Amino acid sequence: MAEPLARTAGTPVARTTACTLDCPDSCSLSVHRDANGRLVVEAAAHDGLTDGFICSKVRRIERHLSSPERLSRPLRRVGPKGSDDPAGFEEIGWDEALDLIAERMRSASERSGGEAILPLSYGGSNGLLTQDTTDALLFSRLGASRLQRTVCAAPSTAATSGLYGKMAGVALEDYVHSELIVVWGANPSATGIHLVPKIRRAQENGARLVVVDPRRIPLAKQADLVLQPLPGTDLALALCVIRELWRRGHADESFLERYTSGAEELRQRADEWTLDRAAATCGVAANSIDRLVELYAASSPAVIRCGWGPERNRNGASAIAAIVALPAVAGKFGVRGGGYTMSNTGVWRDAGLRDFTAGWNARQINQNHVGRALLELDDPPIEVLFVYNHNPLMTLPEQERVRRGLLREDLFTVVFDPVMTDTARYADLVLPATTFLEHEDVARGYGQMVIHRTRPVIPVHGESRSNVDLFAELVRRLGLERPGDPLDETSARRALLGETDRSEGPEGLAQRFERRDRIEPSVGTTPIQFVDAFPLTSSGRVELCAEALDRAHPRGLYRFLENPAATEEHPLTLISPASRHRISSTFGQLDRSLARIGLHPDDAAARGLDGRPDERVRVFNRLGEVICGVRIDADLRPGVAELQKGLWSHHTANGRTSNALVPDHLSDVAGGACFNDARVEVEAV
Ligand SMILES: Nc1nc2c(c(=O)[nH]1)N[C@H]1C(S)=C(S)[C@@H](COP(=O)(O)OP(=O)(O)OC[C@H]3O[C@@H](n4cnc5c(=O)[nH]c(N)nc54)[C@H](O)[C@@H]3O)O[C@H]1N2
Ligand SMILES: Nc1nc2c(c(=O)[nH]1)N[C@H]1C(S)=C(S)[C@@H](COP(=O)(O)OP(=O)(O)OC[C@H]3O[C@@H](n4cnc5c(=O)[nH]c(N)nc54)[C@H](O)[C@@H]3O)O[C@H]1N2
Ligand code: SF4
Ligand SMILES: [Mo]
């Protein structure tokens, strides 16, 4: 592990690493201590996308690393579950903690089978070693229940894989070459900041910008056209654009003929979405849709930056499929800066990364139904819950159900995290984890198309352990070790990257990584769609009406599903977009101010609210309520309220957050979360 960084005046010794937070940009970082001993984290010199700056969250990460919530030793619960009294936990040694876990896992699996254990992990670290490596060895050999990670990107992955086989997207660096940029349900000013200057540069070169978002996001201020559809209606909007492209003779028939299947089926399914019908369903003016059609048809290179806003509802997968079908219908591929971008992890599809989860064929549990699983499963019930890289109480739908599940006295819960999260307060055992600056890892962004090697650049905090190390230790303690297991970070890295003997042939990823800190995919970091990157579907064509999606959809792909949650009693749609100041709930301990729900001035006035700093409201529906402040926001559209994702219990007056109001029904395909299907009413308290 790392030695302390030099603190002496003079030339500081900077170390290079990369950010593994759940962010598309995957910045490489340079880290040193200044003469006053202050940790300086900045952009490393060599980086295509990062361009010399990083976000303030990571620039100021020392606040997080040394916050009072940071854990330094294992803790055992001695008070009631869920209490915020620090006296509710006592410190114990690692040996004792590990024995306790091994004992509980062993007895649960002997009594009820391995499926009585549920590992619950998500995106806290996107580092490839912190998830699905030694943890997968442990839990698959125990035969533990397997989590379907559906809380984010499941519908969009299903849609982009179905249509294009996860083809590489347009590089964010290449947006400078575009003539038209459509930012559709993404908010790069918060969620992937390095795209913003690229868009600005393109605009300086004459590019037009369109924003499709229920809110006027910061980029809307510089946009040529802004459409504010009601959340969950992008499917209608995209199908209408598709219909109009065809109707007006703007469809690229020769591209469709040569590279796609299912075009006629798509055309027929889009046909019901006339301008007027789509305008009424989406709550946007028909002439705005008309302008979008004409601008899109007339511009090349035209690129769509599709975000994750359009997937978080009942129509999520169909909506994303329809959005990414647009460049195929209009023939926008084949030029630099033309096509679409969603997640770019597909460029590594053929890289031969090892799948440590192969052969783990246990009972699957949808992440959006964890509350139900904890309360309702009985064959066998969940007896041991192991949470890491995740703050499920704050980030999963139906928060009250999750809370009731965590409160079960007969459930043994371990939470392994760098900080004392809200979820950790419900644990029987809390274990301190290292952060990405303290362990070795492999960082793969989902925007920038590189894999970085990350190294420990600061000393380990207290007795924290890395994920690889902790799960390896449990593999050993439970007697599950097999010869050749990669049970430390270096061997896990080599195994992940496929350490094979390639002495005769081309160098493998692992070998390249031994000498370089940054490796690029075989298509390079700025592939052009349909020049360098082609569909990776089994047919090699764009499957515009992909059969697997069509079969999985309750009514058939692209068929609009009404949202039954909307009622007269709860007329406002609640969205919970990302905050600039956090990554999901990560860093949420650093700000303790009261959250305020955003309301359009008309919606606020209709409820007698004026947004005074001391005004308090109750936001409620059948599932629960949140007591918080109010913010009047003319950038929202009427009928849409906003409460940011990733709040902690200390951010509201009753400890509940937006997920207390989010139903746990699933998206059309792939079992995705429907955060933005929440419908609420707001009243003064
Ligand atoms: N600072 C910061 N960066 C992050 C994150 C973070 O929490 N904070 N989270 C990371 C993660 S986990 C992810 S998945 C990505 C997400 O990246 P983005 O997709 O860019 O972020 P979101 O805020 O989820 O949603 C984007 C936009 O969708 C809009 N929206 C909501 N519902 C709809 C809809 O139905 N249709 C349309 N068209 N728009 C809609 C919201 O108003 C929001 O502006 O960002 C990553 N980067
Ligand atoms: N209402 C609403 N809820 C949402 C969303 C929404 O739009 N609306 N968006 C969803 C989205 S897009 C996502 S991706 C999920 C994210 O949900 P989560 O995956 O729960 O993400 P975080 O809240 O950031 O929590 C991650 C935890 O991992 C910890 N961690 C970080 N690094 C490590 C490590 O190396 N080891 C260990 N053991 N722990 C580590 C962090 O400290 C943090 O507590 O939230 C979802 N929740
Ligand atoms: S969170 Fe995103 S922008 Fe910030 S340093 Fe990490 S990769 Fe870069
Ligand atoms: Mo996410």
Side-chain angles (χ1 to χ4, degrees), residues 120-446:
L120 182 54
S121 72
Y122 199 64
S125 165
N126 269 12
L128 296 181
L129 297 187
T130 55
Q131 192 152 287
D132 292 344
T133 58
T134 53
D135 52 331
L137 297 181
L138 173 70
F139 292 117
S140 64
R141 288 174 192 174
L142 283 165
S145 290
R146 194 165 169 190
L147 186 73
Q148 288 175 304
R149 297 204 182 99
T150 49
V151 75
C152 170
S156 56
T157 303
T160 52
S161 308
L163 268 67
Y164 293 94
K166 286 208 104 212
M167 177 174 78
V170 176
L172 303 173
E173 294 93 312
D174 273 346
Y175 277 53
V176 296
H177 302 289
S178 306
E179 188 177 289
L180 176 71
I181 298 171
V182 182
V183 176
W184 197 317
N187 180 23
S189 310
T191 60
I193 56 173
H194 295 94
L195 182 56
V196 176
K198 310 290 177 210
I199 293 177
R200 173 70 73 187
R201 270 245 304 286
Q203 288 189 289
E204 283 161 9
N205 298 336
R208 309 282 194 97
L209 174 66
V210 177
V211 166
V212 184
D213 200 297
R215 310 182 288 159
R216 291 182 62 85
I217 54 170
L219 278 173
K221 289 184 186 63
Q222 67 196 64
D224 300 278
L225 176 64
V226 179
L227 284 84
Q228 291 183 265
L230 281 162
T233 64
D234 302 85
L235 172 59
L237 179 59
L239 289 179
C240 175
V241 175
I242 286 171
R243 173 186 192 269
E244 290 301 310
L245 287 168
W246 249 301
R247 210 179 55 82
R248 299 176 193 193
H250 296 316
D252 185 340
E253 297 294 351
S254 68
F255 180 87
L256 289 167
E257 172 71 26
R258 178 153 176 218
Y259 289 110
T260 75
S261 301
E264 180 51 26
E265 193 59 41
L266 169 61
R267 197 188 62 73
Q268 283 175 21
R269 293 187 192 192
D271 200 49
E272 63 183 296
W273 292 101
T274 61
L275 274 182
D276 286 343
R277 180 162 179 229
T281 300
C282 304
V284 300
N287 67 6
S288 299
I289 308 179
D290 175 74
R291 263 203 80 205
L292 172 57
V293 174
E294 290 304 322
L295 260 176
Y296 192 59
S299 315
S300 181
V303 67
I304 299 175
R305 180 6 156 192
C306 185
W308 288 265
E311 77 159 25
R312 310 198 201 284
N313 63 81
R314 188 161 279 249
N315 290 299
S318 290
I320 301 288
I323 293 167
V324 299
L326 281 163
V329 173
K332 297 300 173 190
F333 293 118
V335 285
R336 190 168 291 288
Y340 72 89
T341 315
M342 188 131 207
S343 164
N344 278 335
T345 55
V347 287
W348 299 102
R349 228 188 71 154
D350 60 358
L353 297 182
R354 169 156 163 199
D355 178 7
F356 288 83
T357 67
W360 181 3
N361 299 317
R363 168 174 76 181
Q364 303 221 350
I365 292 174
N366 186 313
Q367 191 176 18
N368 294 306
H369 289 162
V370 161
R372 287 177 197 273
L374 293 176
L375 294 171
E376 294 167 16
L377 283 182
D378 59 1
D379 188 23
I382 307 293
E383 295 173 29
V384 176
L385 180 70
F386 202 121
V387 181
Y388 57 106
N389 297 347
H390 198 4
N391 186 8
L393 181 60
M394 290 298 126
T395 56
L396 294 184
E398 288 234 16
Q399 191 168 75
E400 286 317 294
R401 234 194 261 269
V402 177
R403 184 188 312 280
R404 281 192 289 122
L406 291 172
L407 279 171
R408 261 179 50 199
E409 276 304 325
D410 60 340
L411 177 72
F412 182 75
T413 302
V414 182
V415 171
F416 176 39
D417 201 290
V419 294
M420 190 72 174
T421 62
D422 283 306
T423 307
R425 294 195 289 102
Y426 291 75
D428 296 279
L429 204 53
V430 181
L431 305 176
T434 44
T435 65
F436 68 93
L437 296 174
E438 294 155 66
H439 56 234
E440 173 173 344
D441 209 334
V442 174
R444 177 188 61 182
Y446 48 98

Side-chain angles (χ1 to χ4, degrees), residues 19-21 23-27 29 54-55 57-58 193-194 583:
C19 178
T20 66
L21 291 170
C23 169
D25 292 5
S26 192
C27 298
L29 305 174
I54 59 165
C55 69
K57 301 180 289 297
V58 172
I193 56 173
H194 295 94
I583 295 278

Side-chain angles (χ1 to χ4, degrees), residues 457-520:
V457 291
I458 57 171
V460 166
H461 178 81
E463 296 179 11
S464 308
R465 298 176 89 142
S466 72
N467 291 18
V468 169
D469 180 41
L470 171 68
F471 292 113
E473 182 60 34
L474 286 168
V475 166
R476 290 191 201 96
R477 280 199 190 221
L478 282 152
L480 299 169
E481 189 175 356
R482 293 182 193 162
D485 273 350
L487 296 183
D488 61 72
E489 280 154 359
T490 304
S491 39
R493 163 167 55 78
R494 290 181 179 151
L496 172 79
L497 298 175
E499 193 178 38
T500 46
D501 179 12
R502 310 222 181 159
S503 47
E504 304 291 326
E507 206 181 25
L509 281 186
Q511 284 91 340
R512 274 153 68 196
F513 224 32
E514 292 302 320
R515 282 179 288 103
R516 259 158 281 172
D517 285 349
R518 180 181 196 274
I519 48 179
E520 301 187 351

